[in-house]
Structures are given as C-alpha cells and as structure tokens.
C-alpha cells in the first residue's frame, strides 16, 4: 500500500526537531531508522500529518566516553553499536544483544534509540539497558531531562516520552570486565524474541560479586530479574548455581499468551534461558 500524504521535515539540530514536534502536537511521528514506522505508514495503521526525520542531527549519533559512563547517541545504528570497541569493551551485553536484532539490512538502517523509543515488548534492546541501569536523556520544549530505564518503559509500545520530546542519547555505566550474554528464543522465520534474557556478571575471587539480569517479552515492559541477581551474589560461577538462581526468573513477571507461546511456556523458557545465559556468559 501507499502511505497517506504527510509533510516531511529534516531538522539539523535537536532543538529544531523539538520545535517541529511541539508545533504539530499529536499529529506528528518521529522517523529514526524507519524500520518500524515505515511499515506502519505503508499499511496506513498511522496517518500523521507530519514526519520529523532525525537522521540529519549529528549530535544524536555516535559512541563516546564520559568518565565512568558510556554514551550512545539515539541515532547510532545497530551496526555501529555492535562494532564499537567502546561498547564491546565497557557494555558487552549491549553489543551482544544488538547482534541478534533482525538481519544485517535492518541493523544498518535501524537505530539504537529508535528501538528503545518504539518499546516493543519483543524487542531485544530494552532488557539490556534496563539490566545495566541506563539513563535516557530526553529533550523537549522545557529543556533536557534524564529518565532512568526503569521509568522509561511504561507499557506496550509506550514510553515516558511526550509527543513533543525526542530521545537524544543513552547513558550506560561502564561494566568493564563483566562477563555477559544475551540468550533468546525466537521462531525461525522471525527475529522477534518469544523470550529473551540479558545477563551480565562480575566474578571476583571465584564467586559472583555482582549480577544484572533483564528479561525480554515477559510482560508489557522489560523486567529486571532481581530474584535471580540476589540468588547469584556470593555463589560460585557454576552451572548448578546458575540453575538454582534461574528458578527465580519469573518472579514479578506477567507473561502473556499469543500466537507464539502460551504464558506458562514463556515462564518455562525464562527459567531455562536464564540458566543458559548465565552459563554461557561465565563459560
């Protein structure tokens, strides 16, 4: 199908983008990589009067360090994120999860911030940034504000972004020296996660000193597996310890049923994949 007619603007600064969105109100859509928006427009599931393309904003692209924090611009492509030496060195979990996103074509066009702002429960990037206590820097008419990942994801396809705000960058504490793995179960014909587990672990003196675990598609938003984290700390990094900790994976989750899986099967997957993710990370 052909999209409905709309106006198109391509601002060169974050401020220009915010001004365009503020003028348009609820009648605007933001174009990041376009991998989710363009299919929706073609099917006429959305008919905005204005599309604001963020692709020409240099400030919103790239990876840099800021002291003990890694900063990833919202318009940085998945391909750039997964190949970044800074990301692989200080936030390996993000690099590993990004490698599982869709296919090479989508990873070259899709963007890190676009995926997060889309907030698809089956998307692979929200769980890692939640697990790693990331912060989202958001720009709006009143200036910029910082939103913790735990508060950014609100519901299905819904974030804390207002209609006149844009995600500028994501700030992730450095996890240098942490072991990591992203384990997902998906249908062969699709890359969307039926369930995914993002795990990163710091091992010191033969024991787990710290752990961070996030779950994909176990609710309307990504879920932090605090029970797994608590069970891991102080344990030896063994498969038996990982299996015992994984029993807590479904605590606080609200798995749903759909064409891909029933809720009880998702709960089973969450436990199995959590143990596997931990074992692979520390293997």
């Amino acid at each position: 199908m052909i999209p409905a007619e709309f106006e198109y603007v391509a601002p060169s600064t974050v401020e220009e983008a915010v001004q365009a969105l503020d003028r348009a109100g609820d009648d605007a859509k933001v174009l990041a990589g376009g991998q989710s928006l363009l299919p929706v427009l073609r099917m006429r599931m959305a008919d905005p009067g204005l599309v604001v393309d963020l692709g020409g904003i240099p400030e919103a692209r790239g990876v840099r360090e800021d002291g003990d924090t890694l900063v990833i611009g919202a318009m940085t492509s998945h391909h750039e994120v997964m190949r970044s030496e800074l990301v692989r060195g200080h936030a390996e979990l993000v690099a590993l999860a990004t490698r599982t996103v869709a296919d090479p074509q989508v990873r070259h066009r899709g963007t890190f911030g676009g995926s997060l702002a889309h907030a698809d429960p089956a998307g692979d990037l929200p769980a890692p940034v939640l697990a790693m206590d990331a912060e989202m820097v958001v720009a709006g008419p009143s200036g910029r504000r910082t939103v913790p990942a735990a508060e950014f994801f609100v519901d299905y396809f819904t974030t804390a972004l207002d209609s006149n705000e844009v995600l500028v960058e994501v700030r992730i504490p450095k996890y240098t020296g942490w072991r990591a793995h992203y384990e997902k179960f998906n249908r062969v014909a699709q890359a969307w996660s039926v369930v995914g587990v993002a795990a990163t672990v710091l091992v010191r003196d033969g024991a787990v000193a710290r752990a961070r675990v996030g779950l994909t598609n176990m609710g309307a938003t990504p879920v932090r597996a605090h029970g797994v984290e608590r069970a891991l700390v102080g344990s030896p990094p063994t498969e038996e310890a990982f299996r015992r900790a994984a029993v807590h994976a479904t605590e606080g989750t609200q798995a749903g049923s759909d064409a891909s899986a029933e809720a009880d099967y998702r709960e089973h997957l969450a436990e199995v994949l959590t143990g596997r993710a931990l074992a692979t990370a520390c293997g």
Side-chain angles (χ1 to χ4, degrees):
M1 295 180 65
I2 299 174
E5 188 173 311
F6 56 82
E7 292 186 36
Y8 169 87
V9 296
S12 58
T13 67
V14 171
E15 290 71 26
E16 290 176 1
V18 169
Q19 290 170 7
L21 291 171
D22 195 41
R23 287 193 298 268
D26 293 333
D27 196 33
K29 289 289 185 182
V30 172
L31 175 65
Q35 302 308 293
S36 298
L37 179 60
L38 292 183
V40 169
L41 293 178
R42 286 200 299 268
M43 292 185 287
R44 298 205 177 191
M45 295 174 65
D47 57 345
L50 175 68
V51 171
V52 181
D53 185 351
L54 305 184
I57 303 178
E59 178 190 354
R61 188 180 299 277
V63 181
R64 61 183 175 85
E65 295 176 276
D66 184 8
D68 293 331
T69 301
L70 191 67
V71 183
I72 303 177
M75 288 300 295
T76 308
S77 72
H78 300 311
H79 179 74
E80 292 173 283
V81 170
M82 60 182 269
R83 290 178 61 87
S84 167
E85 292 293 339
L86 287 175
V87 176
R88 289 190 286 184
H90 302 298
E92 185 183 16
L93 180 57
V94 170
L96 294 173
T98 304
R99 287 173 56 185
T100 75
V101 172
D103 53 45
Q105 181 177 356
V106 170
R107 290 194 292 270
H108 275 80
R109 294 296 304 170
T111 63
F112 189 69
S115 179
L116 296 176
H118 187 51
D120 188 333
D124 295 300
L125 300 183
V129 300
L130 174 67
M132 300 178 77
D133 294 314
E135 294 182 329
M136 319 299 187
V137 178
V138 174
S142 300
R144 300 192 180 194
R145 62 190 180 101
T146 300
V147 183
E151 300 173 12
F152 185 76
F153 305 103
V154 176
D155 206 339
Y156 289 100
F157 299 99
T158 306
T159 70
L161 286 168
D162 288 333
S163 61
N164 57 3
E165 292 183 317
V166 296
L167 178 60
V168 179
E169 62 188 26
V170 181
R171 299 177 64 85
I172 304 173
K174 288 183 179 178
Y175 285 74
T176 312
W178 288 54
R179 307 176 189 184
H181 186 67
Y182 184 72
E183 186 77 23
K184 66 188 282 187
F185 179 84
N186 59 283
R187 300 172 68 180
V188 173
Q190 297 176 333
W192 301 112
S193 289
V194 176
V195 174
V197 178
T200 187
V201 177
L202 180 63
V203 177
R204 285 179 179 162
D205 301 323
V208 175
R210 299 171 69 187
R212 299 287 185 272
V213 181
L215 305 178
T216 297
N217 217 4
M218 287 297 290
T221 62
V223 179
R224 182 79 172 266
H226 290 290
V228 175
E229 297 172 2
R230 288 191 294 266
L232 280 172
V233 174
S235 300
T238 63
E239 290 196 14
E240 178 59 30
F242 299 147
R243 281 195 295 268
R244 289 198 302 267
V247 172
H248 301 279
T250 59
E251 295 174 1
T253 64
Q254 294 180 322
S257 298
D258 55 26
S260 297
E262 295 293 327
D264 58 351
Y265 184 54
R266 275 199 164 89
E267 292 174 350
H268 169 72
L269 282 174
E271 182 175 331
V272 172
L273 297 179
T274 297
R276 189 179 298 170
L278 293 168
T280 303
C282 295

